[in-house]
Amino acid sequence: MSSRNSLSSGAARQQRLDALRGAAVVWMACFHFAFDLNHFGWIQQDFYRDPVWTGQRTVIVSLFLLCAGMGQALALHQGLSWPRFWRRWAQVAGCALAVSLGSWLMYPRSFISFGVLHGMAVMLLILRLAGPRLSNWLAVGLGALALALPSLFSHPFFDSRWTNWLGLVTHKPITEDFVPVLPWLGVMLWGFALARWLLAKHSLLLSGGLPKIFEPLAVLGRWSLSFYMIHQPVLIGLLTLVQYLRPWAT
């Protein structure tokens, strides 16, 4: 089975949602290209503290998780079976493990133990189990609570790599990517509630056509997991090659 649509929940195609996910993919790739340029020393930027970059990261992750929540609502609406869900979930979880391994090889002191794919795998399970039992208003309320809880409560117990995945940390861990269940589950819950509301009240906003100019984004959004997994190795490989060839060009 291909990894098509694995960053969503496996619902039947909705071009507009795919295009939104594709736009997030393009933005992510541009962000990572700038990050890689900084890593190679070709630009000087603070990706860990500068609001220009931290703000972009927040929006990009939010778009992915919003789309994932909407995709899960569509999957439940269309009766996605548990075996199909598990196959798609296994793709996300497997890629999360690959990201941990790859980042450990490249950044052994700040490798990714719980990044966006790890968080998505856990949150998709939560939503699959709890989603059918939630009203839209309850999903919105629980989403708001999830978003607020890390600011209301934290404890040193949650600061280790074994426990920080929950998100109730006293300080952000040293890692290249960190997307804990709290507060990010709140974004996915809001996406879930938004899609169910649209399905009930304004279904054409989801199922309507897409201008041709945006069709490439929809295609990219359908292959978001594959693109996510290959784009950084490709970018880093190309930049490594350019760096190697630069002395020969001077």
Side-chain angles (χ1 to χ4, degrees):
M1 177 180 235
S2 74
S3 57
R4 185 173 179 170
N5 197 35
S6 295
L7 276 179
S8 69
S9 58
R13 298 270 51 90
Q14 296 286 347
Q15 279 195 309
R16 293 184 175 184
L17 181 56
D18 286 337
L20 180 61
R21 190 182 302 108
V25 165
V26 171
W27 194 350
M28 173 198 69
C30 293
F31 181 92
H32 283 164
F33 181 63
F35 180 89
D36 295 338
L37 289 176
N38 191 72
H39 175 74
F40 278 84
W42 295 356
I43 62 174
Q44 299 296 324
Q45 297 291 317
D46 187 347
F47 280 81
Y48 303 101
R49 286 174 288 273
D50 189 337
V52 171
W53 299 107
T54 58
Q56 286 189 67
R57 178 190 178 275
T58 298
V59 175
I60 293 167
V61 174
S62 296
L63 281 174
F64 274 122
L65 295 181
L66 188 76
C67 289
M70 294 178 72
Q72 186 60 30
L74 288 166
L76 289 171
H77 178 74
Q78 295 161 0
L80 182 75
S81 67
W82 272 104
R84 288 183 64 194
F85 170 83
W86 283 123
R87 287 196 295 270
R88 286 168 168 80
W89 181 87
Q91 292 172 354
V92 177
C95 287
L97 291 176
V99 166
S100 289
L101 177 60
S103 65
W104 178 76
L105 293 172
M106 190 164 184
Y107 306 102
R109 294 186 178 181
S110 59
F111 73 93
I112 300 169
S113 58
F114 206 83
V116 64
L117 292 182
H118 306 73
M120 192 173 291
V122 173
M123 288 183 271
L124 283 174
L125 274 177
I126 293 172
L127 212 52
R128 176 75 185 191
L129 291 168
R133 299 168 177 80
L134 299 177
S135 68
N136 284 353
W137 282 113
L138 183 56
V140 170
L142 289 175
L145 178 62
L147 288 167
L149 197 55
S151 299
L152 300 174
F153 176 78
S154 61
H155 192 276
F157 172 78
F158 298 103
D159 288 341
S160 76
R161 283 193 182 271
W162 298 105
T163 56
N164 64 20
W165 61 271
L166 188 59
L168 301 177
V169 296
T170 61
H171 61 274
K172 185 180 181 298
I174 300 173
T175 178
E176 298 303 316
D177 190 27
F178 184 54
V179 183
V181 173
L182 300 172
W184 292 105
L185 179 60
V187 179
M188 193 177 283
L189 282 167
W190 282 3
F192 182 81
L194 174 61
R196 289 210 304 192
W197 177 76
L198 288 173
L199 286 167
K201 303 293 184 180
H202 304 281
S203 60
L204 287 179
L205 289 177
L206 282 175
S207 60
L210 192 69
K212 284 190 176 295
I213 192 173
F214 296 121
E215 288 180 359
L217 288 178
V219 173
L220 186 58
R222 288 195 287 272
W223 293 91
S224 54
L225 182 58
S226 296
F227 185 91
Y228 182 89
M229 293 303 295
I230 67 173
H231 82 285
Q232 271 292 65
V234 169
L235 287 175
I236 292 172
L238 289 174
L239 290 174
T240 301
L241 178 62
V242 171
Q243 187 176 51
Y244 174 79
L245 294 175
R246 284 178 72 185
W248 298 91
T250 57

